[in-house]
Each structure stands twice: as C-alpha cells, then as structure tokens.
Amino acid sequence: HRGQLGVGDTIHRYEPVAIDSLDCAGVSQVFTHGDESYAIIVGTAYAWGACAGTLVAGRHIDVLCPQPFAALPARGIRRLEAQPGGTLTAYPNAAICSGSGRGAQHLPDGAEAAVEGDNAFEALHANGERHQVGFWIWGVWGDHEIDVPFQPWVTSDVRGLAVRQVAVAPSYFVVLWESGGLASWGKDKEGLLGLGDHRSYCSRARAIDLPPSCNHEGRAPSVIALQQGRSHFVVLTSSGLICTWGANSAGQLGLGDVESRSQPTEVQALRGKRVVQVVAVRDASYALTEEGVVHAWGDNCDGALGASGSIAAVAPKLLVPEAMGLRGGAVRRLEVLPSPAIA
C-alpha cells in the first residue's frame, strides 16, 4: 500500500514478483525497515516505499519503484544497517574513509534541532576543526527524524580511518574501525562511552581500550564485532574473546554480578570457548562458539534465554553465560528478527 514492493504500484501481492526495473545481477544486500525497502547494487544504494522520496528526490512522497539515493555516492556504498533505535546507517567502501572540514557545515532538515539542547551532540557544534566520520546516518535519531543522510563529525583528526561498524545512540557514537580499534564520542552519564571513570562527555573520538587480559601474543587485541543492547555493549576480538561494558542490572554483562562497568571487561566464563559471533538484544547477550553452541546471559524473564540447566532455566537473571538447550545440531549463525526475537 506504500509502494514497498517496488513494482510500480500499490497493489498487494500474494506470491513473489520480480522487480523488473532493477538489474539484480549485482545485488549485494537487500533489507526492509518498516514500510521501506533498500538494496545495494554494484555499490549504489537504492530505496523505495513509504516516504522514500526524501532519500531519492528530497520530497515527502512514497516511491513505487527503486531509485538511487541522492545523498550517497554512486558505487561507493558497501553496506546498509538498521540500528536498534530506528537510525539507519550507510557504510562506504574501503576507498572512502573519514574526511575533514573547517567551520560551519550545513545539516539536513531536522538535524539542526537534533544537535542543539541538553540531550544532543554538543560535539557537533564545537569550535575549531571538524572531521567528518566515514558513515552516513538518517531516520530516527533520539527524538528527531532525519530525512536526508549526512556524515557526523568530531573535533579530533580521524582522516584515513575507515569505519567497519557504528553504534548510534541519541547522544553518542561508538565506532569500530576497520583496523580493529574502538572509539567513542558524545554525551553519556551511564559509562556507555567505555572510557572509564564514568566520563560523561567527550567531543573528540577517544580510543576505547580493552583489558590487558585480551592481548594476543603481546599485542593489543583486534575487535571484529560490536553489538549494542538497550544500555550495554558486547564486543568480540579476533582471538575469540568477549568484553562487555555498560548497565548490568539484569546481569547482561556476564561478569557474575549486577554492577555496571564504564570500560570493557572480559567475560572470563567464556575464555577457551572460541566465540565466533556475539549478539546483544535489549538486556540480554548471546555468544556462538565455533562448536555451534549458543551461550546466553542477562534478562531471563519467563525463561526467555532458554538455558538448558534446570535452575538456570527458571532464574530471572543469568549473571554468567549458560548454554542454551537447543535441539537439532550445531548452530551456524544467530540473527536478530524485527520483533525482536533471536533465530
């Protein structure tokens, strides 16, 4: 009814139908978000459906056929991603890194309001040199709706740094660089910046350090995955170790207690398990090992984590990782569904 099928009309379909207007030979990604649909074809991002006109033509209209983004570089986009809070993110290919700029920068409609006031990014209005970071955001950003993708910026020099993944919150960013390092900036009073000592504000992109216990062969660990829950973070290193930080009222950090942490702390209970994937959903965390076993911890209301042990299965909180009682063989991959549910 909003053109989200991309076939040129608003008629419902009850069986699959091809989108003839697209050359699907080069499709690398497709996904839906509400009544909008997205695709990447040979590095170009396309959108169609409800109010997609703001992305492709600068007008609040429904788009019935796929159209390329007006504000994103053609053949320059590697991946699109939907954030938990409703923000959408576009990541460039490796050839496009973070840039720089001086003085004032035009913000798309709605963004000026989003960066003013007590609950927004004072960093974006800092004086002096500003450096754009290598990703674009649009959609719901805190209490505001951003219609046109734009690149955030910081007051520290991030030129040449490529972004692998970013976690977007209403008042801060946590970034995973392609090099395997972590950084954060913005405003937060809950320790979610990961900088220790509950640092609440930072206009410069500051490195988030993992504990020495995660060092590999005497070198600092390389992070390969970043996951954001309701108010906690889970990261995975290339050597299969997990670190967490943030709120911990439900035991979602997996550290055996309910005390919050303001900097990354290793989940010792999973050391030696060789984790290959991590997922954070609301106040729960999950880890998949290379043997295909899923471990879960955190909010276990009504046994939602599916722990196999009789006591853990009914405990309201799991403070340390417990193996899930899944049947049917080894698990290959975890995926968060829109509900949100875990598959």
Side-chain angles (χ1 to χ4, degrees):
H1 65 287
R2 303 294 299 274
Q4 61 264 48
L5 298 185
V7 292
D9 56 45
T10 57
I11 300 173
H12 291 10
R13 301 297 198 281
Y14 299 99
E15 60 184 24
V17 58
I19 301 178
D20 294 331
S21 61
L22 283 180
D23 179 6
C24 296
V27 173
S28 58
Q29 183 188 8
V30 293
F31 82 96
T32 60
H33 182 74
D35 291 331
E36 299 173 352
S37 302
Y38 300 91
I40 297 178
I41 303 176
V42 195
T44 298
Y46 290 79
W48 61 98
C51 294
T54 59
L55 301 174
V56 303
R59 295 182 293 158
H60 283 269
I61 58 173
D62 295 348
V63 176
L64 306 185
C65 293
Q67 299 291 329
F69 276 65
L72 297 179
R75 296 181 178 270
I77 301 302
R78 169 173 51 90
R79 182 165 57 91
L80 303 174
E81 182 177 60
Q83 300 278 335
T87 307
L88 292 149
T89 311
Y91 299 97
N93 59 35
I96 302 176
C97 296
S98 302
S100 66
R102 293 181 181 272
Q105 176 171 326
H106 171 70
L107 292 176
D109 292 343
E112 280 289 352
V115 298
E116 295 175 350
D118 294 336
N119 297 321
F121 292 98
E122 295 178 11
L124 298 186
H125 279 294
N127 295 323
E129 188 172 273
R130 299 170 180 174
H131 298 269
Q132 290 181 321
V133 189
F135 62 90
W136 289 262
I137 64 171
W138 71 97
V140 178
W141 187 25
D143 296 329
H144 303 275
E145 187 80 23
I146 308 302
D147 294 329
V148 180
F150 77 102
Q151 289 180 269
W153 63 88
V154 290
T155 59
S156 51
D157 192 346
V158 293
R159 284 175 291 185
L161 293 174
V163 176
R164 178 183 300 178
Q165 192 177 358
V166 62
V168 180
S171 60
Y172 65 89
F173 292 114
V174 176
V175 168
L176 170 59
W177 305 116
E178 282 288 356
S179 61
L182 293 166
S184 66
W185 70 94
K187 182 192 297 184
D188 172 68
K189 296 180 180 179
E190 306 298 328
L192 291 168
L193 294 178
L195 302 175
D197 299 325
H198 292 279
R199 184 189 296 269
S200 62
Y201 173 72
C202 182
S203 66
R204 301 176 61 84
R206 295 187 180 274
I208 299 174
D209 295 324
L210 269 58
S213 63
C214 292
N215 290 354
H216 181 64
E217 296 180 349
R219 294 175 295 181
S222 176
V223 176
I224 60 174
L226 167 68
Q227 284 284 300
Q228 177 185 18
R230 191 198 312 270
S231 56
H232 78 291
F233 286 96
V234 183
V235 297
L236 175 66
T237 73
S238 58
S239 55
L241 302 179
I242 295 178
C243 288
T244 59
W245 73 92
N248 195 29
S249 60
Q252 60 264 46
L253 300 186
L255 304 175
D257 56 44
V258 292
E259 297 180 8
S260 63
R261 304 295 198 280
S262 60
Q263 59 188 23
T265 304
E266 184 188 351
V267 180
Q268 292 283 346
L270 289 174
R271 179 171 277 272
K273 300 291 186 181
R274 185 62 186 183
V275 175
V276 296
Q277 184 186 3
V278 291
V279 170
V281 179
R282 294 179 176 169
D283 296 329
S285 306
Y286 302 82
L288 173 64
T289 69
E290 63 181 358
E291 290 82 14
V293 178
V294 180
H295 297 261
W297 61 98
D299 184 4
N300 191 39
C301 181
D302 298 323
L305 297 182
S308 57
S310 58
I311 296 178
V314 298
K317 304 174 183 178
L318 298 184
L319 305 185
V320 294
E322 298 280 352
M324 296 182 68
L326 302 177
R327 300 178 180 179
V331 174
R332 176 172 54 89
R333 182 169 58 91
L334 300 175
E335 185 172 348
V336 180
L337 303 178
S339 331
I342 295 288

